Every structure is written in C-alpha cells, then in structure tokens.
C-alpha cells in the first residue's frame, strides 16, 4: 500500500481501462452462471452443494489471488521459470508495470481481470466431481490446486515471460490454461473419487433443465468479457474476439443438436445449452487468432465432437458426472489445436495456420502447449488429490450421498414444496428419543 | 356408503370435475400421484444417455357417496375421463364403514 502512495502508477488509457474493468465484472458473473449450469444438471438433493462449491471458489480464490497466486502467475520468472517469483506477494509493487506486458491499463485492473479467470478454473472441476466430494476436502483441494496448478500454468502460457508464451504457443483467453487444465484435473479427480453411489445403474436425471439454460445464458454473456476482454484493450482485436466468440458459440449449439437429432432422434434443450458451452470453450484459445468464418467451422466441429464424446465415460466406466472431460478438456484441446489450421494473421496478431498457407510449426507449438498443460495438470492434480484421499479423505459416505449434499453437508434444503416438511419442529433424529424444536431464536432440546 | 376412487389423466381433471358437479356430488378430494399401468413409462434422453421414466403422472380423485349414487358417479367419471387412448386410467368402488363430519359430529349419510 505504501508503494501505491509513493510512486505514480504507469500512464493508462481510459477507454482500455474501462473495458477491462467491465470485462472483469462480466467474467465474475460466469461463476454463478456455471453454478446454475451445473446445479440444474444434478439431482435436487445436491443442488445447494453444487452452488456452494462454486460460490466458495469465489471466496477462496479471491483471497489467495491477492496474497500469492497473482504473483505466481504474473510476476517475473522465479523458481527456475516454473512460476512467477513472489515480487508481488500481497499485491505489492502495483506501481510497476505488469512483467513483460505492453498494455495501457493500470496493473490493478489487470489483477482484477485475471483474478476472475483463476476463480472459474477450479470451479469448472466441480462438474466432474459432482454429488460426492466432501466439502472440507474440496475447500483444501482447490486452495492447493489454484496455488500449485493454476498459478504455474497461467505463468507458462499467459505471462510474456512464460516458456510456452515465449515459444509462440497461442492461447488467446485460456483454452489451455483454463479449460484443458480444468478438464484434465476434473478427470483426475473423478478417477480418485470413484463413481457416485448408484452410477450408472441408478437414474440421475437433471433436476432443473431451465436452470441449465439460464446458467448457459449467463456464461455466454459473461464470456464476452472473458474473450473480448482478453484483448486487454478496447480495440479492433477485441471486436474480433467478440464476434468470433458469438459466432463459434452459435455454430456449436447447432453442431451439438444436429448430432443429437441424428443419433437420438430429438434435439434437446440440454443439448443446445451444452453445445453453446462447448463452442465457448473451443473459441476461447482462438478468439483473437481466427476469422469469423473460421469461427463457424471451429464451432461446428467443437459442438459435434464434444457431443459425441459424452458417451465415452460410459464405455470407460468413469463417472465424469457432468462431462467436464467431454466439454472442457476436449473443447479446450480442440480449440487450441484448431488454431494450427484456422489461425490467420488477418486479426493483427498471431501466425497463419495450415489453411492460410502457414507451416505445421504452429500446429506443433499448439500441440506442445496442450501436452504440457494437460500433462502437468493431470499429474499434479492426481498427486494433490491422492494425498488428500490418504489423509483427510475426499469422498462423502454412501449414507451422505443418499441423503444428498444439501442436507448432509450444509443442513439446508433447496426447495420447500412439501407442507409436511415445513413445520417449526425439526426432528434432527426423527423417530428416536430426542427431539429438538427451534422456537424463535432459542433452541430447546428435550431428551 | 361407497368410496369411488378414480385414476385419470391430469389434463382430464377439469372435465371430470365439471361432470361430477353437474351430477350433483357435494365434494371431492384430488391428489397428484404417479404410477404405471399398461401404458408404462417413457424414455428421456440427456446428453445421449437414455433414462427410462417408469412412473407416469396421474390424478387421483376420491369421492364418498351414498350407496345408490356409486354406479352413477362411476359412469360420469368414465364418460368424462375417456379419450380412447391407452393410459386413460381406472375407477374402482370400495365400501365405507363410517363417516363423521368434523364440524358438527354428524355421522353416516348425513355427513356427506
């Protein structure tokens, strides 16, 4: 704080700053959007558990970001280039420009914007682990994960000092850092947690499909901040990213429901929402590197491929509950690799891909970026998850799973449609000898 | 006295209720129920995975009537609830030993 007062921050552009700050707010909204996207897909007894995991991610990551993760991600190289050094620990030295970045916004606007990416990345994992992750273990898991996995990968890819960035691997807004990373981590945690009790024999229908569509709408809206904000300026590149984002998302929505119509006989609303999200994921790395027509092809491919990939988990017997693997891992990897084909210098940045007369060098770089991100994320997540599993335990008991997260973990229920359950007397152990009754603010327990 | 219980398609409730009112019954009780008969359930598809939904939503109507009215009420319900399609439901009649009106304590047919 002393540093802020002592030295004037770098000169900044008002328009760019306004756009990046507004984008940060847009990206924040994506996490509640994701919460409802996932929350609608789980069973009614687990919806608060899902919402809570997403909201608590905002709490935990926001605090850790200020303390240490921002510095790990965006300070100058430290730890032999593995992550940023701790020069900006506790957001110190905010009067200095962001290491290596040629931007005209205040460092703190950059901090705020990048924070929102760090928030939603671990939140994405909750789709794989739905309905069975112990809350205490989840809290510790994402705290460790955002420090040990997100911070370093963000440094490699996003920081101009990062080794993948310097090589020329392209990731406009986080197809690898956010989506492939969270997808790989989600698959790892689904393996460690094991199947939900009853899966796949027991029917686990989405309990509120309108929530899923509402959440997808909020994600789509917030994603304009995610992608167009990643231009870090209010300029032509932001315009490209904005139009590409909408175009690819629209095409992916169509791609997904076309596959459904052919394969299952019906185009579904859940499919439309899922396709839109698959498109958003796939265009994320490519938003500033492809043309709008390229975005149509990229979106169609992503929607169709992600839709087809949702059946893989049944063949593997892997309970990736809400298809984080099929949507975020596959979508993120696909988007990053397709830059190798659809990339064009016409946007003003980046390199030409194979379809624009470029060499295969770009595709190789993209594959390297994907391999490093997915490989590190999967292995590091496995290690963190395994240590937690062997120490404090990560899985809810079968009984807790049967009761549901809302009641067994949070002592709440999402819906009160049943008059018989709404009385002022709540038997905490109904049918046994003790009955507790809450009267006003006083709790009386009679044995 | 008799208890007439009918399981019908939910969208037929208005028709059945109007027909029973026209017939002159004094009251009825309705509940939302689920079950299956020959119609069985249906299949839903979420992200390509098929879910068999075994139980179909239905409406259960209960009317207590005097012995002489039972056949008439059954006829009214059957006529009003019929669509000719599978899943139209069922109506059955069971004997009732005693009825008491809670407000006045009247018993038997007087309580109807």
């Amino acid at each position: 704080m002393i540093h802020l007062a002592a030295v004037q921050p770098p000169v900044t552009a008002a328009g760019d700053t306004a756009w990046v700050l507004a984008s940060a707010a847009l990206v924040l909204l994506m996490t509640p959007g994701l919460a409802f996207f996932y929350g609608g897909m789980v069973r009614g007894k687990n919806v608060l558990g899902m919402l809570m995991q997403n909201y608590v991610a905002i709490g935990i990551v926001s605090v850790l970001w200020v303390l240490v993760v921002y510095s790990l991600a965006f300070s100058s190289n430290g730890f032999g280039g593995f992550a940023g050094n701790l020069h900006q620990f506790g957001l110190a030295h905010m009067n200095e420009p962001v290491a290596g970045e040629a931007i005209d916004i205040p460092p703190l606007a950059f901090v705020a914007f990048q924070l929102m990416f760090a928030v939603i990345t671990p939140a994405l994992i909750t789709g794989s682990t739905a309905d069975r992750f112990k809350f205490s273990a989840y809290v510790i898991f994402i705290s460790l994960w955002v420090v040990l996995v997100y911070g370093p990968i963000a440094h490699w890819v996003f920081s101009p000092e990062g080794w993948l960035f310097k090589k020329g691997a392209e990731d406009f807004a986080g197809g690898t850092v956010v989506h492939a990373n969270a997808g790989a981590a989600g698959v790892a945690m689904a393996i460690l947690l094991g199947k939900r009790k009853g899966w796949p024999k027991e029917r686990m229908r989405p309990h509120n499909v309108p929530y899923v569509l509402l959440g997808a709408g909020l994600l789509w809206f917030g994603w304009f901040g995610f992608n167009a904000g990643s231009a870090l300026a209010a300029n032509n590149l932001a315009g490209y990213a904005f139009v590409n984002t909408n175009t690819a998302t629209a095409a992916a929505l169509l791609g997904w429901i076309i596959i459904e119509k052919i394969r299952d006989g019906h185009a579904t609303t859940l499919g439309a929402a899922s396709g839109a999200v698959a498109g958003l994921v796939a265009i994320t790395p490519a938003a500033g590197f492809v043309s709008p027509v390229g975005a149509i092809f990229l979106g169609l491919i992503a929607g169709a491929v992600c839709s087809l990939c949702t059946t893989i988990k049944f063949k593997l017997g892997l309970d990736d509950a809400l298809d984080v693997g099929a949507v975020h891992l596959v979508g993120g990897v696909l988007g990053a690799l397709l830059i190798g084909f659809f990339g064009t210098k016409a946007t003003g940045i980046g390199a030409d891909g194979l379809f624009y007369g470029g060499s295969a060098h770009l595709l190789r770089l993209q594959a390297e970026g994907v391999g490093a991100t997915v490989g590190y994320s999967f292995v590091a997540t496995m290690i963190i998850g395994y240590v937690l599993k062997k120490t404090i335990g990560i899985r809810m008991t079968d009984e807790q799973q049967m009761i549901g997260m809302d009641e067994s973990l949070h002592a709440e229920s999402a819906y009160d449609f049943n008059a018989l359950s709404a009385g002022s007397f709540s038997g905490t152990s109904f049918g046994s000898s003790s009955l507790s009754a809450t009267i006003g603010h006083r709790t009386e327990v009679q044995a | 006295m008799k208890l007439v219980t009918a399981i019908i398609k939910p969208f037929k409730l208005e028709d059945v209720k109007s027909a029973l009112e026209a017939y002159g019954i004094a009251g009825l009780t309705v509940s939302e129920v689920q079950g299956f008969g020959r119609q069985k359930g249906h299949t839903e598809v979420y992200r390509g995975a098929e879910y068999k939904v075994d139980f179909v939503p239905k409406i259960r109507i209960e009317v207590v009537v005097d012995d002489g009215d039972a056949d008439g009420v059954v006829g009214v319900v059957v006529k009003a609830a019929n669509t000719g399609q599978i899943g139209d439901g069922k109506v059955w009649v069971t004997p009732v030993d005693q009825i008491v009106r809670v407000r006045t304590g009247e018993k038997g047919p007087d309580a109807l």
Side-chain angles (χ1 to χ4, degrees), chain A residues 356-420:
Chain A
Y356 290 82
S359 73
H361 179 63
L362 179 58
L363 182 60
R364 275 196 299 275
L365 277 176
Q366 292 306 103
E368 191 176 343
V370 163
T373 311
V374 169
Y376 175 72
S377 174
F378 186 82
V379 172
T381 305
M382 272 288 186
I383 294 169
I384 296 169
Y386 186 79
V387 169
L388 290 176
K389 185 175 177 172
K390 291 297 167 189
T391 51
I392 59 170
I394 55 176
R395 184 181 164 89
M396 292 160 60
T397 64
D398 285 358
E399 192 187 349
Q400 286 176 320
Q401 289 187 49
M402 277 188 294
I403 294 168
M405 304 177 98
D406 301 0
E407 196 184 321
S408 68
L409 299 184
H410 304 298
E412 293 175 291
S413 50
Y415 308 105
D416 186 13
F417 291 148
N418 186 347
L420 292 176

Side-chain angles (χ1 to χ4, degrees), chain A residues 37 41 203-206 263-264 270 274 310 322-323, chain B residues 42 44-55:
Chain A
F37 181 68
M41 271 188 270
R203 197 180 66 203
M204 295 178 182
R205 266 193 298 173
R263 183 185 60 190
D264 311 322
L270 179 61
S274 308
T310 56
L322 310 181
D323 303 305
Chain B
H42 62 277
E44 298 182 0
V45 187
Y46 297 98
R47 285 184 172 169
E50 287 195 354
Y51 295 79
K52 210 170 158 294
V53 180
D54 298 318
F55 299 119

Side-chain angles (χ1 to χ4, degrees), chain B residues 2-96:
Chain B
K2 304 283 189 199
L3 169 63
V4 179
T5 305
I7 305 290
I8 63 167
K9 286 183 166 164
F11 72 90
K12 274 290 181 183
L13 176 60
E14 249 346 277
D15 293 346
V16 173
K17 193 196 82 179
S18 305
L20 285 171
E21 279 176 334
Y23 183 80
I25 59 141
L28 58 78
T29 303
V30 171
S31 38
E32 292 180 46
V33 295
Q34 297 186 46
F36 68 85
R38 289 184 202 173
Q39 183 189 7
K40 296 295 182 194
H42 62 277
T43 302
E44 298 182 0
V45 187
Y46 297 98
R47 285 184 172 169
E50 287 195 354
Y51 295 79
K52 210 170 158 294
V53 180
D54 298 318
F55 299 119
V56 186
K58 295 285 170 187
I59 293 287
R60 178 174 60 204
I61 300 175
E62 289 162 304
V63 194
V64 183
V65 295
D66 222 344
D67 288 348
D69 289 328
D71 287 345
V73 166
V74 170
V76 165
V77 173
V78 169
K79 185 158 177 269
N82 184 281
T83 68
Q85 303 294 312
I86 195 165
D88 270 357
K90 297 216 173 8
V91 186
W92 61 88
V93 181
T94 45
V96 173

